[in-house]
Amino acid sequence: METLEDFDREEECLHDVEAYNALVLQISKVGGKTTMDCVHKALDRLFSNAVMASFNMKGRGQKGKRPFGNTKIYRALQDAVMKFDQTATEDSIRTFTSEHLKHAPQRSGGGGFTPHSH
């Protein structure tokens, strides 16, 4: 998904159980060496950095970010990672997702914040 419009369209589609299950299956096939690796790869496969840079888990903060933690796409990500990785927990997935979203602005195409040099 390259834009927030793409994101909203996908989110809308996921009201359909078959579309939701298809996304879960697609994400679970991404795989990874660890839970963190799996989460990061899945997010990178799903979204451009520009889209990720528009979100954080709760939608709070001064940068006007949207909450990712209560979206169907996040729920699909969580279900997929837990299907792929039996050791994954909701907490670990939330932590890794939060970290990955937080650093999206610094990654290529994230539109980002330039790190301040001290």
Side-chain angles (χ1 to χ4, degrees), residues 84-100:
F84 168 78
D85 179 353
Q86 307 305 310
T87 66
T89 63
E90 289 185 8
D91 274 354
S92 66
I93 294 167
R94 186 176 304 111
T95 300
F96 298 140
T97 303
S98 176
E99 282 295 300
H100 204 61

Side-chain angles (χ1 to χ4, degrees), residues 40-110:
H40 290 185
K41 280 182 173 165
L43 287 166
D44 288 340
R45 186 79 48 93
L46 287 169
F47 309 115
S48 66
N49 283 320
V51 170
M52 282 191 267
S54 304
F55 286 91
N56 62 25
M57 290 309 284
K58 295 195 169 76
R60 290 204 289 267
Q62 71 280 52
K63 295 193 177 79
K65 296 205 174 187
R66 294 172 52 172
F68 184 63
N70 58 8
T71 64
K72 288 181 174 47
I73 294 173
Y74 175 65
R75 207 158 318 124
L77 172 75
Q78 205 174 40
D79 287 352
V81 172
M82 291 176 100
K83 179 183 283 200
F84 168 78
D85 179 353
Q86 307 305 310
T87 66
T89 63
E90 289 185 8
D91 274 354
S92 66
I93 294 167
R94 186 176 304 111
T95 300
F96 298 140
T97 303
S98 176
E99 282 295 300
H100 204 61
L101 294 175
K102 187 166 84 182
H103 297 296
Q106 285 97 39
R107 289 194 301 272
S108 169

Side-chain angles (χ1 to χ4, degrees), residues 3-21:
T3 65
L4 291 174
E5 289 76 28
D6 292 344
F7 183 94
D8 292 337
R9 209 171 305 117
E10 181 68 22
E11 185 71 7
E12 200 51 46
C13 289
L14 295 181
H15 288 292
D16 177 57
V17 175
E18 283 179 22
Y20 180 87
N21 289 339

